[in-house]
Amino acid sequence: MPKFYKFFLALLFTLIISWFTWQIPAAFAATESETSLRTLAEKRGILIGAAVDMKALKSDSKYGEVLAREFNAILPENAMKLILLHPERDRYNFTDTDILMDFAKTHQMQVHGHPLIWHYAVPQWLESGNFTREQFIEILHDYIKTVVTRYRGQIKVWYVVNESINRDGSLEDSIWLRKIGPEYIDLAYRWVHELDPEARLFYNEYSAEEVGQKADAVYQLLQGLIQRGVPIHGVGLQMHKDVDWSSAPQLIENMKKLAALGLDISITEMDIYIKEGFGNQQQALEKQAQIYEDTLQACLSIPQCVYFSIWGFSDRYTWAASWRGSQGAPLIFDEQYRPKPAYYAMQKVLRRE
Ligand code: G3I
C-alpha cells in the first residue's frame, strides 16, 4: 500500500476514535443532566436541595459535579454554625460560607442559611464567658446583624431557630434560654426580619414529623409566634429516620395541620439510616427507596411544601458515621456516586403527574 494511503487511513482511524471519545461521554452527560433531580424538580416548580460538606466540596471534584447537576438549592451542613463562623469573640471566619455562596452563584442554586441559633455548636468563649443578660442580648444581636447583613439578598431562607424543643415538648436547655429566657426566640426572628425583610424565616425541628407530643409542642410554639406578630414564614421537618419508618400518613396529617397555620413547609435534612439486622441489603435499599418516595410524594401533595432537602447526597460523606457509630448508608448515591434505588424512586415521583 502506498505510503500516502497508509497515512490517510491512520488519520481517518484517529479521527473516528477521537469522535467516539468525545461524543459518547458527552451524550451520557446530556442524558444525566436531562433526567437529574434538579431538572425534574424545576419542571415541577420545586426546590430540591442538599446539605453541603465543605471539606468534600473543596477536595473532591466529583462531589461538586454531582451536587451542581442534581440540586437547585443548598444549605451548609456545618459551615454556618456559630462555633465555626464566630470562633472567637473578636473574630469571624466566613471563608467557607463565601465559597459556598460563590458555588451557588456559579451554578444558579438557591442558598438557605442553617442554623442561625442552636443550642449546640456554641463556641467556648460564649459558653464559659461570664456575660450579663444584657451582654448576651447584645452578643446575639451583633451576631445576627453581622451574618444576616453579609448575606442579605443572597440567602433566601433562614432557619433562624433550630431544635429548641425537647422530645417531651419542653424547651430545650440552651445558653440562650438560660441567659436570655424564652424570648430569645421572638427576638431572633424580629431582628432577622428587620435586617432582611425579603428573607423567608423558618423554624427547624427533628422528630416532629409525626403527630404526637413533640409535634404538638412545635405547633404551639409556632402558633404563639404568629399570635404575637413575630415574623415566621415556615417550618422545616428534618426527617432523620431509620429504615423501619412507616409513618407517611402521619407526616401528611402533620404537614396539613402546620400548613393551616399559614406556614410554608420544608423537608430539611432527610436521610434514612439502614440499621443492622434489617433484612438483606437489597430489601433494606428497597425499603429506604420507598421512604424517600413516600416522603417526596407527601411533600408534593401539599401545596405549601416548597422545599425538599437531603442531609448530604452521597454515602461517601454522611454525618451518620461520626454520630451514630456506623455509616448506615442513609443517602441516595453510594460511596462511588452511583445512584441508589432511593435516587430512582425520587426521579419516579418527580416525573409523576
Ligand atoms: O471538622 C472538625 C475536624 O477538624 C476535627 O478533627 C473533628 C474532631 O471531632 O471534628 C470536626 O468537626 C465535626 C463536624 O461535624 C465536621 O465533621 C464536629 O466534631 C462534629 O460535631 C460535627 O457534627 C455535625 C453536627 O451537626 C454538630 O454540629 C454533623 O456533621 C452534622 O451533620 C450535624 O447536623 C445536624 C444539623 O445541624 C441539625 N439537625 C441534626 C443534624 C444531625 O445531627
Side-chain angles (χ1 to χ4, degrees):
M1 193 188 287
K3 257 191 185 164
F4 171 75
Y5 284 115
K6 272 190 188 162
F7 172 74
F8 180 74
L9 279 176
L11 183 67
L12 192 65
F13 181 73
T14 313
L15 284 173
I16 289 170
I17 293 293
S18 331
W19 187 85
F20 273 105
T21 318
W22 285 101
Q23 290 303 311
I24 290 175
F28 274 114
T31 311
E32 271 185 339
S33 65
E34 274 164 27
T35 61
S36 75
L37 299 180
R38 172 184 185 146
T39 306
L40 298 173
E42 276 160 12
K43 285 187 188 155
R44 308 276 312 229
I46 74 155
L47 290 172
I48 195 108
V52 179
D53 177 328
M54 290 308 297
K55 271 192 191 155
L57 185 66
K58 290 186 288 186
S59 62
D60 178 350
S61 61
K62 183 79 180 165
Y63 182 93
E65 188 191 305
V66 178
L67 180 65
R69 186 187 73 216
E70 298 292 340
F71 303 96
N72 56 8
I74 44 179
L75 63 124
E77 179 173 356
N78 287 309
M80 254 177 198
K81 288 174 183 168
L82 187 61
I83 197 167
L84 295 179
L85 223 44
H86 198 6
E88 287 160 41
R89 187 163 188 196
D90 54 0
R91 186 168 72 87
Y92 279 86
N93 180 359
F94 289 112
T95 313
D96 277 352
T97 36
D98 286 351
I99 293 173
L100 189 75
M101 294 296 164
D102 288 346
F103 182 84
K105 201 170 169 199
T106 306
H107 299 286
Q108 289 140 26
M109 304 164 109
Q110 198 173 103
V111 185
H112 295 180
H114 159 98
L116 202 51
I117 315 293
W118 193 21
H119 63 272
Y120 198 80
V122 173
Q124 195 55 36
W125 67 266
L126 197 56
E127 283 281 5
S128 57
N130 199 16
F131 303 112
T132 64
R133 180 172 186 270
E134 284 58 44
Q135 284 172 315
F136 250 93
I137 292 178
E138 198 185 322
I139 289 169
L140 181 62
H141 185 253
D142 282 353
Y143 177 68
I144 290 179
K145 190 174 172 194
T146 307
V147 178
V148 172
T149 308
R150 184 179 184 92
Y151 298 118
R152 183 164 42 213
Q154 293 181 68
I155 290 192
K156 303 292 181 195
V157 171
W158 269 111
Y159 289 94
V160 177
V161 175
N162 186 44
E163 303 175 3
S164 75
I165 292 178
N166 288 310
R167 284 179 196 270
D168 66 3
S170 59
L171 275 184
E172 168 78 53
D173 177 45
S174 78
I175 199 153
W176 311 112
L177 182 67
R178 265 178 273 134
K179 299 287 185 169
I180 299 178
E183 54 272 41
Y184 82 89
I185 299 177
D186 291 28
L187 287 173
Y189 281 92
R190 290 190 195 280
W191 286 334
V192 180
H193 184 63
E194 272 167 31
L195 293 158
D196 188 354
E198 298 295 312
R200 303 285 291 166
L201 311 189
F202 277 56
Y203 175 76
N204 192 41
E205 192 56 88
Y206 71 96
S207 293
E209 294 82 6
E210 305 88 6
V211 285
Q213 204 175 17
K214 182 153 181 179
D216 287 347
V218 169
Y219 182 89
Q220 279 153 20
L221 173 80
L222 298 169
Q223 192 179 41
L225 291 172
I226 294 166
Q227 282 165 355
R228 292 192 295 278
V230 175
I232 170 106
H233 310 115
V235 52
L237 303 172
Q238 296 187 2
M239 274 304 289
H240 293 290
K241 299 290 172 194
D242 289 341
V243 75
D244 54 8
W245 186 80
S246 59
S247 306
Q250 282 201 39
L251 170 67
I252 295 174
E253 187 185 333
N254 197 26
M255 281 175 156
K256 284 185 178 159
K257 206 174 152 197
L258 291 164
L261 278 176
L263 296 171
D264 279 348
I265 295 165
S266 54
I267 298 293
T268 44
E269 305 188 12
M270 182 156 181
D271 56 6
I272 302 299
Y273 183 87
I274 297 180
K275 289 196 292 190
E276 264 179 50
F278 185 93
N280 61 37
Q281 182 70 355
Q282 192 52 32
Q283 287 165 331
L285 289 173
E286 279 167 18
K287 179 68 195 321
Q288 182 180 55
Q290 187 64 52
I291 300 174
Y292 274 97
E293 177 176 339
D294 292 347
T295 308
L296 182 54
Q297 184 62 51
C299 178
L300 291 180
S301 73
I302 311 272
Q304 292 85 349
C305 187
V306 290
Y307 175 57
F308 185 96
S309 171
I310 304 171
W311 206 237
F313 56 93
S314 162
D315 290 337
R316 183 181 282 251
Y317 305 101
T318 159
W319 72 292
S322 59
W323 273 52
R324 301 199 51 160
S326 76
Q327 198 255 21
L331 296 165
I332 63 172
F333 287 89
D334 72 10
E335 291 184 39
Q336 276 69 49
Y337 297 104
R338 288 178 301 223
K340 291 165 61 182
Y343 174 86
Y344 295 115
M346 287 179 65
Q347 263 188 341
K348 185 173 75 180
V349 177
L350 289 169
R351 283 196 174 110
R352 213 175 262 159
E353 287 305 313

